[in-house]
Amino acid sequence: MTEVPDWLERLAAQAAGITVPRYLRPPADGGRLAAVLMLFGEGPFGPDVLLIQRSSRGRRHAGQPAFPGGGVDPGDGGPVGAALREAEEETGVDPRGVRVLGTMPELYLDHSDNRVTPVFGWWHTPSAVHAASPDEVESVERVPIVELVDPGNRVMLRHPSGLAGPAFHVRGMLVWGFTAMVLDTVLREGGLERPWDPARIEDLPAEVVRMGLRERITPTPRIVTPQP
């Protein structure tokens, strides 16, 4: 069993106070309750985070890297229960090996009408993971933080609309959209971010655009937290 690193404890303690920009604030009512699990652990290359690659055959977010997660069911008791349940169903994570540290504010994704609560977890007793739900998940990766903060792996990704958001090239995956936005925020607020060049802009790959035609996809800009 490993102890929670100081940076993650500090981040989780202040996460509820992160300022949510207007375009991600939930409406007064409506929207589907959902949650994702940001599961951090200590891997062979240092601290890492668990990501999944969604199935290219899926109807929602086809082929996209993501945090494990999904809708909140009545029996979940809220976002934390939903995040743990979905992570177990999608990757085989044993919830008994996870210590929940806190949550970020609810974020609204208007293209899917989801009110998503990111849940911080520390994987104190890691279990074997795999694509436990093949219809939804193609692969599972423990992505080292050192790779996420590598400036050579960071870009701004431009959507055909002209809007751009943060993205990462890691483990053969292009991490973009909501997942990249949350990772960008976590790295910055956790004091882990290394200087990188946001002027390095790439276009959203054509195959991603084609898969996105099944649904309306839009890029997610950065969450910028005002400095005191």
Side-chain angles (χ1 to χ4, degrees), residues 12 19 24 65 111 122 124 153 166 172 190:
T19 301
L24 286 174
H111 65 277
W122 174 246
H124 59 77
N153 293 338

Side-chain angles (χ1 to χ4, degrees), residues 42-126:
E42 187 67 30
F45 302 102
D48 57 25
V49 62
L50 187 69
L51 295 181
I52 63 174
Q53 180 97 33
R54 295 211 172 274
S55 172
S56 58
R57 303 182 302 274
R59 291 179 298 173
R60 288 288 186 181
H61 314 295
Q64 290 186 31
F67 300 110
V72 177
D73 289 346
D76 290 330
V80 170
L84 292 172
R85 174 184 55 76
E86 287 281 353
E88 183 176 19
E89 290 177 359
E90 293 181 337
T91 73
V93 163
D94 186 345
R96 294 171 298 181
V98 178
R99 176 183 169 189
V100 174
L101 302 174
T103 62
M104 283 178 62
E106 197 175 60
L107 305 173
Y108 182 64
L109 303 183
D110 63 348
H111 65 277
S112 59
D113 194 32
N114 278 327
R115 309 170 69 108
V116 183
T117 299
V119 177
F120 284 96
W122 174 246
W123 210 358
H124 59 77
T125 308

